[in-house]
Amino acid sequence: MCQILIIYTGGTIGMMSDPKTKVLRPINFEQIMDNVPELERLNCRIKVHSFDEVIDSSNMNPAIWSKLAGLIQDNYDDVDGFVILHGSDTMAFSASALSFMLENLGKPVIFTGSQLPISAIRTDAKENLMTAIEIAKAKKNGVARVPEVCIYFDYKLFRGNRSFKYNSSKFEAFRSPNYPILAESGVHLRFSINDIRHPKEDGLIIHKKLTSEVAVLKLYPGISPKVVENILTADVGGVVMETFGAGNTSTDQWFIDLLKQAIDSGKVIVDISQCKVGTVELGRYETSKLLKDIGVANGYDMTFEAAITKTMYLLGNYDDPKLVKEYLETDLRGELTVS
Ligand code: ASN
C-alpha cells in the first residue's frame, strides 16, 4: 500500500474565523482531518507531520525551508511522496526554495493549500488536498509520475519554481506563464509527460544552507542615484535586479558605474524582467548591452520567486562570485530556459 507524508505548515486551508474578532487564524491538523472524512477512503497510508506552531505563510522563512528539507530527507525512503499544506501567499517562494534544496529529487513534493478554509461550505481546500495526494502517489511502472517540487491548485499542477501567486481572490491563485502546466485534473488526471522533469542521477542530495543576504533592486523611471547606491552597497552577496521589458535599464553613466562597482566588489547581480511573460535578452537593445559587458548575470525567464531563492541557495553554497553567476545563468532545476 502506498504511503504519503502530509506536512502541515499552516495557511488558510487550516484557518478558522475567530468568533469575536472575525480574523482568520490557523487551527490544528485534527480539526482539518475532521473536515475531510474522504481521507480514510484513500487506498493509501497517510502519515502526518504537523508543525508545532502553524503559521500564516507571510511568516515563512529560510529556517523553516531547511526544516522542511530535513523532514523530506528523514522520511524519503519510507514514503512514495509528500504533500505540503502551506499558505498560498508565499507558496511559490517555498516551492522554488525547496526545488533548489532538493537535488536529484526522485519523488513528488506537492505544495497545496486553499483560498477558503477547509471548514467553509464553498471551500476549494478539499479538491486541492485530495488531488495533491493522488498526484503524490501516482506512479507508472513503479516510477513517480512527477518527481518534482510542484504546486497543485485549482485543477492545475505547476512546476513550483515556475509559478507565482497571481490572484488573491480567485480560486485560480497561481500561474506559470513561462512553462506549461505539468498536469490538469478533470474527469481524468492528465499528465503532460514531455514537460515533466526526471532526475538525471539517483540519490537525493539535500542542501540546507541558504543565505538571506540578498537585496532587490526594482527599477522605475526616476529612481535616484542615492536609492540605487544604498541598495547596491548594502552588506549582501547578491542583488536581484528587476528590469524593464527584455532586461533593459537606463544607460545613464552613474547607474552603470554603480552596477560595475558592486560587481567589482564581489557582488553578483542577476537581471530578471518586471514582465511576467517572456525572457531577458541581454544585448538585444542598447539598453542591455552594457549590462552584459560589465558582468550582470542573465536571469532569462526566471520568476522573481525563483531568482531570489536561487540566489539565496547559490550564495549559501558557493563562495566564488564567478561560479554563482555561472550557475545563475544555468538551468539547475527546470527554473529557466536558456534562449
Ligand atoms: N494568508 C494566507 C497564507 O498564505 C493566504 C492563503 O493561504 N490563501 O497563509
Side-chain angles (χ1 to χ4, degrees):
M1 195 193 263
C2 74
Q3 179 135 335
I4 297 295
L5 177 65
I6 296 181
I7 304 173
Y8 173 46
T9 70
T12 298
I13 190 164
M15 290 192 187
M16 246 176 201
S17 176
D18 185 293
K20 276 197 198 125
T21 62
K22 304 281 179 253
V23 168
L24 284 170
R25 286 234 216 87
I27 54 172
N28 63 37
F29 195 78
E30 285 71 49
Q31 290 167 278
I32 295 188
M33 294 288 251
D34 291 346
N35 283 282
V36 206
E38 295 87 349
L39 279 172
E40 305 267 315
R41 286 175 32 216
L42 278 174
N43 194 18
C44 201
R45 226 173 282 130
I46 308 273
K47 271 191 356 179
V48 177
H49 180 100
S50 181
F51 277 23
D52 291 337
E53 198 196 331
V54 284
I55 57 165
D56 183 299
S57 77
S58 299
N59 285 317
M60 189 48 67
N61 61 52
I64 306 181
W65 294 336
S66 296
K67 193 169 153 187
L68 284 172
L71 277 167
I72 290 168
Q73 182 175 37
D74 293 347
N75 290 280
Y76 195 71
D77 293 333
D78 303 333
V79 303
D80 298 282
F82 301 84
V83 171
I84 302 182
L85 300 183
H86 190 293
S88 59
D89 288 348
T90 63
M91 191 182 287
F93 289 91
S94 296
S96 298
L98 265 292
S99 77
F100 297 113
M101 297 166 93
L102 306 174
E103 192 176 345
N104 296 337
L105 181 66
K107 296 188 177 183
V109 174
I110 314 296
F111 280 78
T112 196
S114 64
Q115 293 284 62
L116 283 177
I118 203 151
S119 55
I121 290 174
R122 288 193 312 105
T123 189
D124 52 331
K126 289 183 192 177
E127 200 288 320
N128 286 349
L129 173 58
M130 297 308 284
T131 307
I133 296 173
E134 287 289 331
I135 293 167
K137 72 184 179 76
K139 286 189 177 174
K140 194 169 185 188
N141 302 328
V143 177
R145 300 216 58 161
V146 197
E148 292 208 36
V149 180
C150 301
I151 289 180
Y152 179 76
F153 226 92
D154 195 41
Y155 302 100
K156 291 191 180 75
L157 183 71
F158 304 93
R159 176 171 294 161
N161 59 31
R162 289 287 193 158
S163 49
F164 61 90
K165 186 167 180 183
Y166 138 87
N167 199 311
S168 62
S169 51
K170 283 193 175 180
F171 288 155
E172 184 204 0
F174 290 89
R175 284 211 171 162
S176 150
N178 283 331
Y179 198 79
I181 53 168
L182 303 183
E184 189 155 19
S185 103
V187 173
H188 302 284
L189 188 51
R190 297 227 184 271
F191 293 94
S192 309
I193 45 174
N194 295 328
D195 298 316
I196 294 170
R197 240 175 144 256
H198 287 261
K200 290 197 187 81
E201 286 169 39
D202 281 342
L204 178 72
I205 304 170
I206 302 268
H207 305 275
K208 283 196 194 164
K209 237 177 114 201
L210 299 183
T211 175
S212 291
E213 270 67 57
V214 178
V216 177
L217 173 58
K218 182 164 184 158
L219 301 182
Y220 49 90
I223 193 167
S224 74
K226 198 165 210 146
V227 169
V228 175
E229 186 177 1
N230 272 326
I231 295 170
L232 291 178
T233 55
D235 188 15
V236 295
V239 180
V240 174
M241 179 166 70
E242 279 203 14
T243 59
F244 309 121
N248 306 316
T249 66
S250 157
T251 49
D252 282 352
Q253 198 56 49
W254 66 263
F255 180 72
I256 301 295
D257 286 348
L258 283 173
L259 290 178
K260 189 166 178 329
Q261 276 160 30
I263 293 168
D264 291 347
S265 75
K267 288 191 168 78
V268 180
I269 302 178
V270 58
D271 182 344
I272 59 164
S273 176
Q274 291 175 19
C275 297
K276 293 293 189 188
V277 191
T279 188
V280 165
E281 292 178 81
L282 288 188
R284 176 168 153 86
Y285 290 88
E286 199 182 22
T287 44
S288 66
K289 166 89 178 56
L290 286 171
L291 304 177
K292 193 175 180 177
D293 295 344
I294 62 172
V296 169
N298 191 336
Y300 295 101
D301 55 353
M302 267 192 291
T303 59
F304 173 68
E305 290 81 348
I308 199 107
T309 55
K310 186 176 182 181
T311 310
M312 286 177 167
Y313 155 69
L314 290 173
L315 289 171
N317 289 278
Y318 302 94
D319 292 329
D320 179 2
K322 281 207 187 82
L323 204 56
V324 172
K325 175 181 184 275
E326 187 188 321
Y327 285 149
L328 274 168
E329 296 180 329
T330 306
D331 175 12
L332 299 181
R333 309 278 193 271
E335 75 282 5
L336 60 78
T337 305
V338 175
S339 48

